[in-house]
Amino acid sequence: MPDETPAPGQIERWIRSSATIIAPVTALSALLFYFGYVSARSQFEYFGVDVDTIGLGTQDYIMRSPQPLLAPLLVLTLVGAGAFALHTATRRRIATAAASVLRVARGLSIAGLALLGAGVILLVIYAQVRDWALYNLVTPLLIALGAALTAYGSRVRHLAGDALHDTEPAQAQRSLLARRTSSTLIYVLVAVGIFWMTATVAEWTGRGLAQYQAQNLGRLPSVILDTKERLYLRSPGIEETVLPESQGQTFHYRYRRLRLLIHGGDRMFLVPDTWSASNSTLIVALDGSVRVQFQFQNRRP
C-alpha cells in the first residue's frame, strides 16, 4: 500500500495557506463583533439596560453589525471609487502638465496639514468641547481626511517631480526608512480616523434604532406575565389583575401591556407598550417563578 503521508514541505504549505485565510477572517470577525457591540450597547442603554447583563454571545453581536456598518461601507466604497478615478485622471494630467499638477499637489498637502492640525487641536481641547454632539465624528474626519490629503499630495508631488526631472532637494535627501516611516504613520492615522468614525456611526445607529423602537413599541411581541407575588411596578400603563383563587393555582397576579424588548440567556427584558420617560425595564428570569404568554399580533387570516 503506497505511503499517503503528506511530505513535510506540503504540510508547511497547508499551514501557511490556512494562516493566510484564518488571520483575515479572525480580524474581520473581531471588527464585526466590536461594531455590533457598540451599536447594541447604545441601543439598550436607551432603555436603561447594560448590554453586558443581557448575555448576548459573539454570534449575536456579529449578526447585529451589518446594520450600523452599511452606511460607512457604502460611503467608503464611493469615496474609494472617486479617489481611484481622480488618481487616474491625475496621472494622465502629469504627462502633459506636470508643473500645474505639482502646484495643485502642494496645495493638497497644505490643505491636508491644515485639516490634520485642526483635528489635533480638537484632541488637545477635548475637555472643553467634549459635550459637542458632533465631536466624535468631526475630529476623526479631520484627522483621516487631513492625513489622506497630505499623503496623496506628497505622492503626486513625487510623481510630478519625476516627470519634470526636478525632484525637490528635501525629498532627495530623505532616506528610504524615513519615507516608509512617514507613510506608515499616515496610514495609521487614516485607519484610526476611519475606525473612530465608524464606531461613532455604530453608536448613533444603535441609539436611532432604540428611539425607533420606543416610537413603535406596538411592533414588539406582546407579553402576558403571571407571577406568584405582586411586582409593584411603577411604570404607567401596565395593567395588574388579581387572579381568582383556585386549587393548585400558584400564580396570583397577571400583568398586561408588556412588550418583549429582548431575550438573552434565561431572562426576558420587558418594557411597557407605551413610551414614557418614567418607564423602567423589567427583567424576568425564566426559572418557573413566572408564567409567560405571547399574544397574537397578526391580522385575521
Side-chain angles (χ1 to χ4, degrees):
M1 182 175 180
D3 186 8
E4 298 181 355
T5 303
Q10 186 176 5
I11 295 177
E12 293 177 357
R13 288 194 297 270
W14 287 352
I15 294 176
R16 287 196 297 267
S17 300
S18 301
T20 57
I21 297 174
I22 294 175
V25 170
T26 302
L28 178 61
S29 298
L31 287 174
L32 292 177
F33 170 84
Y34 175 77
F35 293 123
Y37 176 83
V38 170
S39 177
R41 183 184 62 184
S42 179
Q43 176 185 354
F44 295 110
E45 185 181 43
Y46 187 80
F47 294 96
V49 178
D50 184 353
V51 70
D52 294 327
T53 66
I54 298 176
L56 298 177
T58 300
Q59 184 177 359
D60 297 315
Y61 290 120
I62 292 178
M63 295 282 290
R64 291 174 174 271
S65 63
Q67 185 171 10
L69 288 179
L70 180 60
L73 288 177
L74 288 176
V75 172
L76 289 175
T77 301
L78 293 175
V79 170
F84 178 77
L86 176 63
H87 183 65
T88 302
T90 301
R91 292 183 66 91
R92 292 175 180 174
R93 182 71 175 170
I94 288 175
T96 58
S100 61
V101 171
L102 184 60
R103 289 193 295 270
V104 173
R106 289 170 178 167
L108 288 176
S109 297
I110 294 173
L113 290 174
L115 292 176
L116 187 58
V120 172
I121 290 174
L122 286 176
L123 287 176
V124 173
I125 62 173
Y126 169 75
Q128 287 73 34
V129 297
R130 60 185 175 185
D131 294 330
W132 183 28
L134 298 179
Y135 178 85
N136 286 325
L137 184 65
V138 173
T139 303
L141 177 61
L142 290 175
I143 293 175
L145 184 58
L149 288 179
T150 302
Y152 187 67
S154 177
R155 175 60 177 167
V156 174
R157 287 168 62 188
H158 179 72
L159 294 176
D162 289 344
L164 292 173
H165 304 287
D166 184 23
T167 304
E168 296 182 1
Q171 289 182 333
Q173 295 176 0
R174 286 190 305 177
S175 66
L176 179 61
L177 178 61
R179 291 198 301 269
R180 289 181 175 177
T181 301
S182 60
S183 298
T184 301
L185 291 176
I186 288 175
Y187 292 148
V188 169
L189 284 176
V190 173
V192 170
I194 292 175
F195 184 87
W196 188 354
M197 284 189 293
T198 306
T200 300
V201 172
E203 182 179 355
W204 289 359
T205 301
R207 180 55 60 92
L209 179 59
Q211 292 174 342
Y212 177 80
Q213 286 181 315
Q215 294 174 348
N216 300 273
L217 289 172
R219 297 187 178 184
L220 298 177
S222 180
V223 175
I224 299 176
L225 180 67
D226 294 343
T227 64
K228 298 178 181 181
E229 299 178 353
R230 176 168 288 170
L231 299 180
Y232 296 99
L233 300 179
R234 65 181 184 86
S235 298
I238 298 178
E239 297 179 358
E240 178 187 89
T241 304
V242 179
L243 298 176
E245 295 287 343
S246 62
Q247 186 175 4
Q249 175 67 271
T250 59
F251 298 98
H252 306 292
Y253 298 92
R254 173 164 294 175
Y255 295 90
R256 297 178 180 270
R257 301 191 64 183
L258 291 169
R259 300 283 175 169
L260 176 63
L261 178 63
I262 190 172
H263 171 267
D266 294 328
R267 292 177 296 178
M268 295 192 310
F269 294 77
L270 308 178
V271 294
D273 63 0
T274 303
W275 171 256
S276 172
S278 60
N279 281 347
S280 58
T281 300
L282 176 65
I283 304 176
V284 177
L286 300 177
D287 55 2
S289 61
V290 297
R291 181 171 58 194
V292 178
Q293 302 176 58
F294 290 95
Q295 287 185 290
F296 285 111
Q297 299 291 317
N298 302 324
R299 295 182 180 180
R300 184 180 182 87

